[in-house]
């Protein structure tokens, strides 16, 4: 008897996103760009999937569709069994407690006019009628969990380093205790030494809270460090998928092989070996 397949936390089926360019000629149809062409994958609870590919491969488009910040031309995104793009606005707002996002630029994603407290509690206030004092207490707790101090709540983003700002962004994502965090190039704007600190923090938070990550990156070393599985996105299609340690050694698709050849010797593995056994130890 075979064991049943675990229920997916996130299930993406045949996702297509087309963009129509401005019409250049009165008597000719507008050109169409296919950013995604039938992308399908699943992520089980507590596991992490890395999406890798070059600029223009469709990674950020995929992230926006998973976050329900854009609508697909066709296909579905199911989180915890709910089709996110069919939910009415009030239901989607409540569902957002279960999925949050960490953006690439830790300074550009934080409003410089807002205090850290206001930045961190924003998702919490948007998803529920949490009293302000309770929200502040929860914000202090998540700041501590990401290695900052409760006294930092009254400061502004410009008072922190790049790595600290990304910790603030992670705290903002954690405040609703989400099941899924979509991280779009979360360390690419940071120095290498700071990258390792932020990645280790994400791994510790996953171990502590059972968070599922969907990590968007062009850096194979980042994906190898944090993810259980990796999908290679090329021209809007997933061309190869598997465990990082296996895929990076036995890549079959020419595009994956090209990505690996472009990685310097300090590439995959520079953050240390990562795996299920190490995380569970």
């Amino acid at each position: 008897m075979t064991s049943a397949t675990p229920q997916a936390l996130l299930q993406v089926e045949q996702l297509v996103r087309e963009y129509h360019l401005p019409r250049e000629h009165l008597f000719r149809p507008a050109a169409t760009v296919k950013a995604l062409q039938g992308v399908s994958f699943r992520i089980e609870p507590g596991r992490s999937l890395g999406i890798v590919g070059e600029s223009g491969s469709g990674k950020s488009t995929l992230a926006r569709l998973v976050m329900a910040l854009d609508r697909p031309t066709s296909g579905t995104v199911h989180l915890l069994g709910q089709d996110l793009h069919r939910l009415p606005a009030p239901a989607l707002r409540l569902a957002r407690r279960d999925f949050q996002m960490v953006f690439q630029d830790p300074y550009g994603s934080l409003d410089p006019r807002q205090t850290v407290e206001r930045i961190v509690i924003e998702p919490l206030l948007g998803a529920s009628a949490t009293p302000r004092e309770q929200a502040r207490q929860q914000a202090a707790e998540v700041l501590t969990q990401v290695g900052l101090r409760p006294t930092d709540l009254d400061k502004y983003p410009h008072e922190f380093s790049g790595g600290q700002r990304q910790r603030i962004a992670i705290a903002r994502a954690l405040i609703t205790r989400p099941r899924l965090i979509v991280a779009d190039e979360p360390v690419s704007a940071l120095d290498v030494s700071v990258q390792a600190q932020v990645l280790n923090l994400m791994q510790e938070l996953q171990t502590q809270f059972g968070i599922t990550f969907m990590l968007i990156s062009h850096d194979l070393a980042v994906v190898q460090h944090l993810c259980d599985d990796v999908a290679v996105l090329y021209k809007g299609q997933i061309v190869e998928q598997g465990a990082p340690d296996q895929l990076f050694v036995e890549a079959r698709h020419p595009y994956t092989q090209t990505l690996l050849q472009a990685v310097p010797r300090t590439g995959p593995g520079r953050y240390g070996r990562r795996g299920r056994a190490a995380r569970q130890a």
Side-chain angles (χ1 to χ4, degrees), residues 9-276:
L9 175 72
L10 177 68
Q11 182 87 41
V12 173
E13 291 285 351
Q14 294 298 314
L15 209 57
V16 174
R17 184 61 169 103
E18 299 178 350
Y19 295 99
H20 297 288
L21 301 179
R23 187 189 296 268
E24 296 183 353
H25 195 282
L26 181 61
F27 301 104
R28 296 176 184 171
T32 300
V33 174
K34 295 184 178 180
L36 294 177
Q37 305 181 58
V39 171
S40 298
F41 61 85
R42 55 182 282 135
I43 311 179
E44 296 169 8
R47 294 181 66 85
S48 293
L49 174 68
I51 307 290
V52 300
E54 63 188 356
S55 178
S57 61
K59 303 189 305 296
S60 293
T61 298
L62 178 58
R64 289 196 299 271
L65 293 178
V66 169
M67 287 299 301
L69 299 175
D70 190 11
R71 297 191 67 84
T73 304
S74 62
T76 59
V77 176
H78 284 85
L79 181 72
L80 295 170
Q82 296 186 96
D83 187 341
L84 296 182
H85 294 284
R86 290 185 176 272
L87 291 178
L92 178 60
R93 186 165 56 250
L94 291 176
R96 288 194 182 280
R97 292 180 64 95
D98 289 318
F99 63 106
Q100 295 291 328
M101 188 166 185
V102 176
F103 295 90
Q104 176 177 359
D105 182 358
Y107 190 73
S109 65
L110 306 178
D111 188 339
R113 300 167 296 180
Q114 302 284 356
T115 63
V116 170
E117 176 188 358
R118 186 67 183 86
I119 289 169
V120 172
I121 68 174
E122 184 177 10
L124 192 64
L125 299 180
S128 64
T130 305
R132 189 60 180 261
E133 282 304 314
Q134 181 182 340
R136 181 179 174 88
Q137 181 179 354
Q138 290 181 238
E141 291 174 359
V142 294
L143 278 189
T144 301
Q145 289 162 359
V146 300
L148 297 176
R149 297 171 298 179
T151 53
D152 291 329
L153 286 173
D154 298 317
K155 296 180 181 179
Y156 290 84
H158 72 269
E159 299 180 67
F160 298 89
S161 67
Q164 289 174 324
R165 286 195 288 264
Q166 197 63 297
R167 288 173 183 264
I168 294 169
I170 294 172
R172 177 175 58 184
L174 282 175
I175 190 73
T176 62
R177 288 291 182 260
R179 300 286 300 278
L180 171 72
I181 291 181
V182 176
D184 188 1
E185 300 279 9
V187 297
S188 64
L190 306 176
D191 293 337
V192 173
S193 60
V194 181
Q195 287 182 11
Q197 295 173 16
V198 173
L199 289 173
N200 288 334
L201 170 64
M202 293 171 67
Q203 189 172 332
E204 292 167 5
L205 293 172
Q206 184 180 39
T207 301
Q208 184 175 358
F209 299 111
I211 297 170
T212 298
F213 283 103
M214 181 179 127
L215 177 66
I216 307 291
S217 182
H218 69 280
D219 191 328
L220 301 185
V222 170
V223 172
Q224 187 181 41
H225 182 78
L226 188 65
C227 297
D228 301 285
D229 300 287
V230 56
V232 181
L233 195 63
Y234 177 58
K235 294 185 177 180
Q237 295 179 307
I238 291 179
V239 295
E240 197 162 9
Q241 185 171 349
D245 289 344
Q246 179 180 0
L247 190 64
F248 294 161
V249 174
E250 303 175 358
R252 297 182 179 180
H253 195 276
Y255 178 66
T256 310
Q257 296 171 357
T258 300
L259 285 179
L260 290 168
Q261 291 170 1
V263 175
R265 292 183 178 180
T266 55
R270 70 173 179 265
Y271 298 114
R273 185 175 178 84
R274 193 266 193 218
R276 300 288 294 180

